[in-house]
Each structure stands twice: as C-alpha cells, then as structure tokens.
Amino acid sequence: MDTLELDPRLRHAAGFLGQTPLMLLDGELVSAVSGKTFAVYNPATAAVIANVPEADKKDVDIAVAAARRAFDERRWAKVSPSERGRMLWKLADLIERDLEELAELESIDNGKPYAVARVADLPLAVDMFRYMGGWATKITGTTIPLSLPGEYLSYTVKEPLGVVGQIIPWNFPLLMAAWKIAPALAAGCTVVLKAAEQTPMTALRLAGLIQEAGFPPGVVNILTGFGETAGAALAAHPDVDKVAFTGSTEVGKLIVQAAAGNLKKVSLELGGKSPAIILPDADLDLAIAGAANAIFFNHGQCCCAGSRLYVENKQFDKVVDGVSQIASKIRVGNGLEPNTDMGPLVSEEQLNRVCGYLESGYSEGAQATVGGKRRGDRGYFVEPTVLVNTNEKMKVVREEIFGPVVTATPFKDLDELVAKANDTEYGLAAGVWTRDIAKAHRVASMLRAGTVWINCYNVFDAALPFGGYKQSGWGREMGHEVLELYTEVKAVCTPIA
C-alpha cells in the first residue's frame, strides 16, 4: 500500500481517510476478494490520500449475485412504497448530518473547492434522495378502455426493472451516485454501483450510510475498481437487467456493445460541446457573467459546459474581454483553501488531455486572450482559458475538452448562428441570452439539445429532467422521466362479461 499524506486542513474527513475504506457487498463492508488495493490521489498535490479495494470480475459476480437474490426474494419490492420513501429520506438525513465530512472528501478527492461542494454538490444530492423518496408512492399504471367487442378490464402496472448496474463519473462523484441510486430504489430495483476509480471516496462513505440507514442486504452494493475490469464486467454481466452509465461518449459506445450479450436495457448520459449564445439585445453584464459560469463552473469538468461561445459580430470584442477579465480574476488553488474559486483538474491524465487540446488549438491558429497553460508544477492545475481565432474545423471547437477552456466565435445572423450551434455530434445543453423572450423561445426550439437555459446556465433541480440528443446519450436523469429508466410496463387484460 502507498503511504498516505493527508492535508492538515482537513477538519472532518481525516478519520475516514485514516481507516481502510471498504466496499459494500450484500450488506457487509468488505475488501476485494483478491486483497488488492489501488491508490487514490489528491489532485491538488498528487499525494496519496487513501488505498481502496480493487474490485475485479469476482467481486462483480458477488455483488450482482447479492443484488439478484435481493430482487428475486423481493427484499426491497415487498417493502411498502411509503417505507421505501422513508428510507430514502433517512439516507438523505444521514448525508445532511455528515455534510461537512462529505464535502471535504469531495474536495480532497476530486479537487473542487470545499465551499462549492458544501453549497452545491451535497445539497443537490440530499434533495435527489428526498425527491425520489416522494416518488416511491406515486409510480402507478392506468386503466385502458378497449374498442374490440365484449367487455374487458384492462390496465397497466409499472414494475421494477430488476438488477441495475450503475457506473458513475468523477466530476460530481456523490451527486452522480444520488442521481443513479435514488430513482432505482424508488422504483423497487436493486443496485450494483461502481464508483469512478479517480474519485471513490464519497461513494465508499455513502456505503456506510446506506448500511446505517438499514437497507436490506444486497439492495445496494458499491464497488471500487477500474473501468476496464470491474466496469466492463458489470456492463456485460448476464444477470444484470439494465446498465446506467454517465461518462464519455467513447466509453458509452463500449457500454452498448458490452450490454448486447443479454440485450440488457441501457441508459447513457454522455459528453457535450454545448453552445453559449449571446444575442445582440442581451443584457451584456448578465450574459458575460453567465457565459463565464457556463464554462468555468467545476473547472469546466461538466458534460454540459458551455464550451462554445457565440457572440454577434459587433459585440464580440466586448464580450470576449468581459469573459477574459472574469477568467483572470478566478483564484486557482487547493480546494481546501477558503478563498479558492477553482481547484485542480481531477488527474494527471486529465491535465495532459486539456493541455494537449490547448497545444492543438495553438498549432491550428487559435490564440488565448487569457490563461492558456498549466499553472505551477505540483498538482493538476490549468488556467481558465478563452480561445479566439477559432473555426469549426478545429479540434478545440469540435471535441469535448472537459476543462476550463472556451472557444469564442462571432456570428452575423440567426440562421448562421443556429447552423453553427447545431453543427456537432453532441446535443446535451445550450444557453441563450437575450431580452426578447419570443426570440429566446424560438431559438430554443431550433437548438438540438436536451436542455436549453435562457438567461441562465447550470441550473439543476431534482425535478428537472436532464439528458441529451444525438451522441450525448439515451434517456433522462432526474424528474419523473427518470423513473421510466427503472420500470417495466405490464399490460393486464381480463373479460368481465
């Protein structure tokens, strides 16, 4: 095992990190069958903060078997809907109780500022469990009048889909676990969740809270391991009825191939290259601040990041200058420092990826008005960057960078704008700033994106569905729509005369 180096600024999470974190399998906290562990790093310092179990196919088999027994024996399905709702609320209460500890774990594991995790990630995760707890009693079917001769009683029943494999990303670790686990449990499914290998700590802490909340053994199982071993085994497992994945489009396609063996159902929340559009009549102060938030929130490590900025010709220079000024004032540093606005990228791999895109942009003629390079030589920090002199053929415009880098492009008219905005393989989100509400809705209707924010960006709520068009995914997270991903519809018909 690697020697731990914990940040002395930790006030709440040092105790958990000083222990040996364990996975949750069949109601017990356990090590990997092989006994292997892997190191987890603080992206601000590259220091080891924990050694966690390295699950492989054997551990996946154990987890899936536990979830299958729990489902087939109806350990969760026979719990009344109101009691399922109460247990989800209890889990939310426990997360809220330990909010400070979980926020510190998220910061030191992912790199994001503790202050941001405390007011964004954690409250949204709590709200997701409570919102889905309310839905547990409201999953209903319908009665259906038939037109054929005779009298029949016909109705539909929504039943839990079964054993669900869930694979979550590293950019919002605990929140993504909540997005996945909460609706599956509300619907009556059992779960095997694999945390991202870069950021497993809050998922492992959540495992203990699930145990404390009293969920029946096997209903929720949480694994840590690598995508090519544990993740691949989970996606391909013949006893898994559905796999839900959030991550890159490239890996999403591999998930689809792996799921083909037993034709398991698949939902995907994938990448994006979202346009942030500032129309000529926009409130520029609001729009400039909004465009900066669209790309620099969470260090640009958002699937819906507004990474393509489009501004009308006459206002282009003013907007670029405004966004660049905001970028220059962002305080980049360790997420545990109280004055930090932006922490490091999540890993050395991600640092190299983002810097590689910057070099590609420069080689193709792009110029940085601010930032544009790595900051320091310890940790994985990249300066907030605005690129100009870009065009639609450049990699920095076409491909998802997943870092604090925005390309700015001028446009002449609305038709040209919409064509450019839709000229992408992705369709996750978009933002539009304008004072003309009719124009705003007209543009929203023309954009091929799952979410369009008008005069705002990065607004999330458990009640608001989120997902993409095109290669940004299949299905929707959150809202009542997400329950469709975890239920089967059964039609029942009988003659009554």
Side-chain angles (χ1 to χ4, degrees):
M1 287 190 178
D2 293 88
T3 303
L4 306 188
E5 184 182 324
L6 299 185
D7 195 303
R9 285 166 289 202
L10 290 171
R11 295 178 297 147
H12 306 280
F16 179 73
L17 291 169
Q19 302 170 8
T20 302
L22 298 172
M23 305 184 295
L24 178 63
L25 297 184
D26 204 12
E28 300 293 331
L29 298 177
V30 299
S31 302
V33 171
S34 67
K36 291 182 180 179
T37 63
F38 64 95
V40 180
Y41 299 91
N42 177 353
T45 64
V48 177
I49 59 170
N51 295 283
V52 303
E54 183 180 335
D56 57 23
K57 185 178 183 302
K58 290 182 179 178
D59 303 280
V60 171
D61 287 343
I62 293 169
V64 172
R68 174 55 61 192
R69 284 193 302 273
F71 185 79
D72 290 349
E73 294 172 8
R74 298 180 59 80
R75 294 181 198 166
W76 188 235
K78 68 183 179 184
V79 174
S80 71
S82 61
E83 180 61 21
R84 289 206 299 268
R86 280 194 292 271
M87 293 188 71
L88 287 168
W89 270 73
K90 183 175 182 179
L91 181 56
D93 291 343
L94 293 174
I95 294 170
E96 199 166 52
R97 182 197 68 188
D98 295 343
L99 185 144
E100 306 287 352
E101 177 189 2
L102 289 161
E104 280 192 351
L105 286 173
E106 208 76 302
S107 179
I108 198 170
D109 194 14
N110 168 275
K112 67 180 62 191
Y114 162 78
V116 173
R118 190 180 183 281
V119 301
D121 297 53
L122 268 297
L124 286 170
V126 168
D127 189 54
M128 186 65 183
F129 280 109
R130 287 179 176 156
Y131 177 81
M132 284 299 157
W135 270 106
T137 57
K138 301 170 186 67
I139 300 173
T140 60
T142 59
T143 56
I144 303 168
L146 302 185
S147 299
L148 74 167
E151 294 185 43
Y152 295 87
L153 173 63
S154 302
Y155 59 93
T156 59
V157 179
K158 290 188 177 179
E159 298 181 340
L161 200 152
V163 175
V164 179
Q166 301 179 324
I167 303 172
I168 59 172
W170 45 256
N171 56 340
F172 294 92
L174 184 64
L175 181 58
M176 293 299 100
W179 279 21
K180 291 288 189 284
I181 293 173
L185 294 183
C189 297
T190 58
V191 170
V192 178
L193 179 130
K194 192 201 85 69
E197 56 263 36
Q198 299 88 346
T199 56
M201 302 315 302
T202 49
L204 293 176
R205 184 68 188 93
L206 180 65
L209 298 181
I210 289 169
Q211 193 181 47
E212 183 179 350
F215 285 85
V219 170
V220 182
N221 305 270
I222 295 179
L223 298 165
T224 50
F226 295 98
E228 57 267 27
T229 51
L234 182 59
H237 203 289
D239 276 341
V240 171
D241 300 304
K242 175 209 165 55
V243 62
F245 171 77
T246 296
S248 70
T249 296
E250 177 185 10
V251 176
K253 293 177 181 179
L254 297 176
I255 295 289
V256 172
Q257 294 174 16
N262 65 337
L263 290 180
K264 60 174 61 68
K265 290 179 169 55
V266 178
S267 58
L268 305 167
E269 198 266 278
L270 305 176
K273 194 70 179 175
S274 301
I277 298 164
I278 300 179
L279 297 179
D281 66 336
D283 177 334
L284 285 191
D285 290 338
L286 178 69
I288 288 169
N293 169 62
I295 183 59
F296 298 133
F297 175 66
N298 207 51
H299 328 163
Q301 296 174 139
C302 296
C303 49
C304 60
S307 54
R308 294 184 296 143
L309 175 60
Y310 293 100
V311 188
E312 193 267 340
N313 280 327
K314 293 179 182 178
Q315 296 172 331
F316 182 76
D317 291 342
K318 184 175 182 179
V319 170
V320 168
D321 181 65
V323 175
S324 299
Q325 286 188 37
I326 291 174
S328 69
K329 296 175 183 176
I330 292 174
R331 294 166 296 190
V332 178
N334 191 308
L336 293 175
E337 285 288 346
N339 63 347
T340 293
D341 300 316
M342 179 183 291
L345 300 180
V346 74
S347 65
E348 184 176 16
E349 179 184 4
Q350 190 64 15
L351 171 70
N352 293 335
R353 172 188 173 91
V354 173
C355 290
Y357 273 108
L358 289 172
E359 290 303 318
S360 170
Y362 300 147
S363 70
E364 293 181 316
Q367 297 178 344
T369 63
V370 65
K373 62 183 184 300
R374 178 180 183 178
R375 177 172 294 186
D377 56 7
R378 189 182 189 210
Y380 313 130
F381 298 94
V382 169
E383 297 176 345
T385 301
V386 178
L387 296 179
V388 294
N389 293 345
T390 60
N391 62 65
E392 279 66 31
K393 295 182 180 180
M394 292 181 175
K395 285 179 65 177
V396 290
V397 176
R398 299 208 66 80
E399 298 182 15
E400 185 178 39
I401 298 174
F402 225 65
V405 180
V406 62
T407 62
T409 305
F411 68 87
K412 293 181 294 185
D413 57 51
L414 197 59
D415 290 340
E416 177 196 24
L417 162 70
V418 171
K420 286 183 175 180
N422 286 334
D423 183 19
T424 172
E425 66 188 32
Y426 300 109
L428 190 56
V432 180
W433 283 267
T434 176
R435 288 187 174 95
D436 186 335
I437 196 65
K439 184 181 293 184
H441 288 289
R442 187 164 73 253
V443 172
S445 71
M446 299 165 71
L447 294 172
R448 298 286 296 163
T451 296
V452 179
W453 287 293
I454 297 173
N455 294 326
C456 61
Y457 210 92
N458 286 325
V459 176
F460 297 98
D461 189 272
L464 188 66
F466 181 77
Y469 290 16
K470 297 187 279 187
Q471 293 190 41
S472 286
W474 298 345
R476 293 295 180 267
E477 306 283 352
M478 301 191 292
H480 67 82
E481 285 85 356
V482 71
L483 295 168
E484 297 175 8
L485 306 182
Y486 297 102
T487 53
E488 294 273 25
V489 177
K490 176 181 290 182
V492 179
C493 179
T494 182
I496 56 175

